[in-house]
């Protein structure tokens, strides 16, 4: 977890917001059985289990691969996403309780180490390790802001799904919640 000083640097502030979003996401998706993890609402096929596994993939793809220039690693490197583009969504809905969360926690731990190293080495204005098709290379700052947005959007999805499953509501995890 990123510790923020009395006068945080921009990097500390960004990482603190990202960590708060991760923590709220973890709280919204935690402690459910198989039925809760595969529940849907409205016309959507989205599930909490699918969301958790999707965010594990986003951590690997966005921060390990695109930001730090590392490989995806398991289980992602064994998946043919061309043949099964929504693999993480479908398998996350059917994984045993705890399995998707363990994968997500491992991805977050890896991301935290990589982001710290990249931020130290390149700074927030430094380049990511990939280039968009139009030739632009995003900055470390832009990548972190995109991750914050990704968590904020999917935490909103998790909020709706979780309320439908068991009524859990709230804007943030309680102080005693641990990831």
């Amino acid at each position: 977890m990123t510790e923020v000083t009395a006068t945080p640097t921009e990097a500390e502030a960004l990482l603190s917001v990202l960590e708060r979003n991760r923590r709220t996401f973890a709280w919204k998706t935690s402690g459910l059985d198989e039925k809760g993890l595969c529940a849907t609402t409205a016309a959507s096929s989205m599930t909490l289990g699918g969301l958790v596994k999707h965010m594990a993939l986003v951590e690997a793809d966005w921060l390990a691969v695109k930001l730090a220039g590392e490989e995806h690693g398991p289980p992602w490197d064994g998946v043919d996403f061309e043949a099964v583009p929504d693999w993480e969504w479908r398998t996350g809905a059917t994984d045993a309780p705890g399995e998707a969360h363990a994968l997500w926690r491992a991805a977050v731990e890896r991301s935290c180490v990589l982001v710290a190293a990249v931020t130290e080495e390149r700074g927030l204005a430094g380049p990511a390790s990939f280039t968009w098709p139009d030739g632009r290379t995003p900055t470390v700052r832009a990548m972190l802001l995109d991750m914050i947005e990704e968590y904020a959007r999917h935490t909103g999805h998790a909020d709706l799904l979780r309320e439908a499953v068991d009524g859990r509501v709230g804007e943030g995890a309680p102080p005693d919640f641990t990831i």
Side-chain angles (χ1 to χ4, degrees), residues 68-147:
E70 301 284 326
E71 296 295 322
H72 280 94
W76 319 114
D77 51 6
V79 177
D80 181 356
F81 285 102
E82 294 285 325
V84 191
D86 61 348
W87 179 83
E88 78 276 19
W89 291 98
R90 287 197 281 145
T91 60
T94 60
D95 285 346
E99 193 175 310
H101 277 100
L103 181 65
W104 175 78
R105 280 191 302 277
V108 168
E109 289 171 13
R110 179 182 183 207
S111 291
C112 288
V113 170
L114 293 172
V115 167
V118 168
T119 303
E120 174 76 22
E121 177 187 313
R122 304 178 200 169
L124 292 176
S129 294
F130 86 106
T131 301
W132 292 111
D134 66 4
R136 294 176 301 124
T137 299
T139 63
V140 172
R141 178 185 296 106
M143 298 292 291
L144 293 175
L145 288 168
D146 281 348
M147 278 300 292

Side-chain angles (χ1 to χ4, degrees), residues 12-28:
E12 288 171 331
L14 287 171
L15 294 173
S16 175
V17 171
L18 178 55
E19 185 63 30
R20 185 177 71 242
N21 275 277
R22 283 176 175 149
R23 183 176 153 74
T24 301
F25 178 80
W27 176 61
K28 291 288 181 175

